[in-house]
Amino acid sequence: MSQGAESGIDAPPGREKELADALSNLRRRIDDACRSAGRAPDSVRLLPVTKFFPGTDIEILYRLGCREFGESREQEASAKVASMSQLSQVRWHMIGHLQRNKAKSVVRWADTVHSVDSERLITTLDGAVGAARDAGVRTRPLRVLLQLSLDRDPGRGGIAPERLTELADQVENAPNLQLAGLMAIPPLDADPDAAFAELAGLHRSLLTDHPAATELSAGMSGDLESAIAHGSTRVRVGTALMGARPITSQ
């Protein structure tokens, strides 16, 4: 499989080796961080963040063993997913801010949404998944991660920690959603260790009443070691794996 399904063009010369080397280095970082934290390497999953990158890169990473990919723009992701239908084992994650009017489209392809942060979005996703299941375009509930705002800045997305129990209960009671865990991004210019320590404490609290919500999506290219030290089960990595973005956002 050497051609991008949505572009019909070959990957640039050397791109496969570039991605293979980056993936090997990244897996080594994750393994080293797990050992330093006294954790098993397989307790942390890598989510390659492929937004802005072409289908040829996803095909390469698929050949290298990756089966999950993170996207953040609905229109780009929907087109990419449609063009990657031959990659039958892929699970797609929506990691960016999700507007309610995009929910109907997103639930047709997303296995997991990492950025759920309001009662209205929960209600909308539940209804959209139900409709998709009734239409036969989806068979499973949607996995949901509640995004926490550790800096209480609504402009960056996420819910205030004091609302965690309320929204977790709402997801748990939604028939078409599955509460999988939490996601967070450290505040700008914050100490990652302090931010991830707070997140770990909130996750432990969540597990008291929602023991199945075991996923903790935290850590990116620059801070994954700190996130793993504080219990992250999934790191979302773009730059350290994919390199510089080939295009800019619209």
Side-chain angles (χ1 to χ4, degrees):
M1 198 186 319
S2 63
Q3 293 189 326
E6 92 272 32
S7 62
I9 61 174
D10 292 331
R15 181 58 168 164
E16 182 144 4
K17 183 179 186 305
E18 182 180 295
L19 286 173
D21 290 346
L23 182 60
S24 178
N25 290 334
L26 184 54
R27 285 172 170 161
R28 188 177 305 112
R29 282 180 64 188
I30 293 171
D31 287 353
D32 288 347
C34 286
R35 279 193 291 271
S36 294
R39 300 176 58 188
D42 62 2
S43 66
V44 178
R45 299 175 68 93
L46 167 65
L47 181 64
V49 177
T50 50
K51 61 181 181 179
F52 306 125
F53 288 88
T56 49
D57 282 353
I58 294 173
E59 290 177 343
I60 290 169
L61 290 170
Y62 188 90
R63 290 197 296 272
L64 294 170
C66 297
R67 293 295 183 266
E68 298 181 275
F69 300 95
E71 294 284 332
S72 65
R73 303 194 308 174
E74 183 278 326
Q75 186 172 3
E76 176 192 347
S78 291
K80 196 177 289 184
V81 170
S83 73
M84 298 282 103
S85 60
Q86 77 278 15
L87 307 183
S88 59
Q89 298 179 43
V90 167
R91 292 195 174 186
W92 300 93
H93 295 242
M94 177 64 175
I95 63 173
H97 174 70
L98 177 58
Q99 297 176 326
R100 288 186 298 121
N101 64 356
K102 303 293 187 181
K104 182 178 179 180
S105 175
V106 166
V107 303
R108 289 176 172 264
W109 55 263
D111 173 80
T112 305
V113 174
H114 288 233
S115 50
V116 175
D117 62 358
S118 75
E119 295 175 353
R120 296 175 71 189
L121 181 56
I122 293 169
T123 299
T124 300
L125 284 171
D126 184 42
V129 174
R133 295 174 86 176
D134 290 343
V137 297
R138 186 181 184 95
T139 59
R140 299 191 305 269
L142 177 73
R143 298 178 73 251
V144 163
L145 298 176
L146 293 174
Q147 181 180 351
L148 280 170
S149 173
L150 298 179
D151 56 7
R152 283 69 169 176
D153 179 359
R156 298 189 71 213
I159 60 174
E162 54 267 24
R163 298 197 63 212
L164 176 57
T165 298
E166 173 191 355
L167 269 68
D169 289 345
Q170 183 185 355
V171 174
E172 193 74 55
N173 292 325
N176 297 297
L177 304 179
Q178 175 189 346
L179 180 62
L182 300 180
M183 185 273 271
I185 302 169
L188 297 171
D189 301 321
D191 174 12
D193 280 321
F196 290 135
E198 180 183 5
L199 177 62
L202 292 165
H203 191 220
R204 286 193 296 271
S205 177
L206 175 69
L207 289 171
T208 301
D209 293 322
H210 302 280
T214 56
E215 185 155 344
L216 189 58
S217 175
M220 297 183 287
S221 293
D223 56 19
L224 65 85
E225 285 85 1
S226 175
I228 290 171
H230 291 286
S232 172
T233 64
R234 185 180 297 276
V235 292
R236 310 178 306 275
V237 179
T239 303
L241 175 60
M242 310 300 296
R245 292 177 178 174
I247 61 174
T248 57
S249 59
Q250 300 297 315

